Amino acid sequence: MNFILKEIFTAFMVLFAVIDIVGNVPIIIDLRKKVGHIQSEKASIIAGLIMIVFLFAGQRLLGFIGIDVNSFAVAGAFILFFIALEMILGITLYKEDEEEALNATVFPIAFPLIAGPGSLTTLLSLRAEYAWENILVAVLFNVLFIYIVLKTSARIEKLIGANGIKIIRKVFGVILLAISVKLFAANIKILLA
């Protein structure tokens, strides 16, 4: 195994920005009010398992349907770009069904709030550039961070405040926008070569 601290940190930051667990604190608090207790451990573990399975099986699944990783990475760059625009501009491009879920722990928190289309696309995009073991460590660190945030979401909201959450969301939006441009440029070269 070849652990590279720079790759782990970059993969962690990319996933952290895409998952945007701190920016989702208001959604989590609202869900707690609607459905009661949310099992932080269960939500974190399920989201982590979904991401890890997709990290290892996602490429084979793409191969089965005839898509190479670089094409998927370019598509992922577009998704990251639009997620970043949503974060920066405070708009919603992707609307989900607002029906109340029976169990908020699994749906919508573990999937698709944490392990959603953005994070799964990001994992395969990262896989095109970084070693799997570094991405795995980044996923595990993100799952740990997600667990801490879910467990302390009410305190975080009081500590940071609504404006603090908005600022964090916009800062990570700009970072994510830059990452999406880099990801697009790196993979489009390979496709056009």
Side-chain angles (χ1 to χ4, degrees):
M1 289 195 188
N2 189 18
F3 293 106
I4 301 169
L5 194 60
K6 183 181 176 188
E7 284 191 13
I8 293 170
F9 181 74
T10 303
F12 172 81
M13 290 305 292
V14 171
L15 284 169
F16 183 78
V18 171
I19 294 168
D20 188 29
I21 194 67
V22 176
N24 286 319
V25 166
I27 297 167
I28 294 163
I29 290 167
D30 188 49
L31 284 169
R32 278 191 201 271
K33 289 175 187 170
K34 286 181 184 174
V35 298
H37 178 69
I38 293 171
Q39 298 168 308
S40 305
E41 301 88 0
K42 187 176 179 182
S44 304
I45 290 169
I46 290 171
L49 287 174
I50 291 169
M51 288 190 283
I52 290 168
V53 166
F54 202 78
L55 174 65
F56 292 106
Q59 194 168 358
R60 272 180 252 140
L61 177 66
L62 289 178
F64 180 71
I65 57 176
I67 300 171
D68 64 282
V69 176
N70 298 107
S71 298
F72 197 80
V74 169
F78 282 116
I79 290 173
L80 294 179
F81 179 81
F82 289 119
I83 291 171
L85 284 182
E86 285 183 341
M87 292 169 73
I88 295 166
L89 302 175
I91 57 173
T92 304
L93 298 172
Y94 174 73
K95 295 182 180 10
E96 289 187 41
D97 191 10
E98 293 292 324
E99 288 181 26
E100 195 170 329
L102 294 174
N103 183 356
T105 299
V106 177
F107 180 87
I109 292 182
F111 180 83
L113 195 64
I114 298 169
S119 56
L120 297 181
T121 303
T122 301
L123 284 170
L124 286 188
S125 301
L126 289 170
R127 186 84 194 252
E129 286 190 48
Y130 302 125
W132 67 266
E133 57 266 24
N134 297 321
I135 302 168
L136 180 62
V137 172
V139 167
L140 295 175
F141 277 129
N142 266 289
V143 168
L144 178 65
F145 193 79
I146 287 163
Y147 169 73
I148 293 167
V149 170
L150 287 174
K151 204 72 173 162
T152 61
S153 58
R155 281 182 253 160
I156 290 171
E157 187 188 39
K158 288 177 188 171
L159 181 70
I160 298 175
N163 286 334
I165 290 171
K166 286 178 187 174
I167 291 168
I168 289 170
R169 204 173 154 92
K170 292 195 186 306
V171 168
F172 278 103
V174 171
I175 292 168
L176 195 58
L177 190 63
I179 291 166
S180 72
V181 170
K182 181 184 175 203
L183 191 61
F184 177 82
N187 285 284
I188 201 73
K189 283 180 193 172
I190 295 167
L191 288 173
L192 297 176

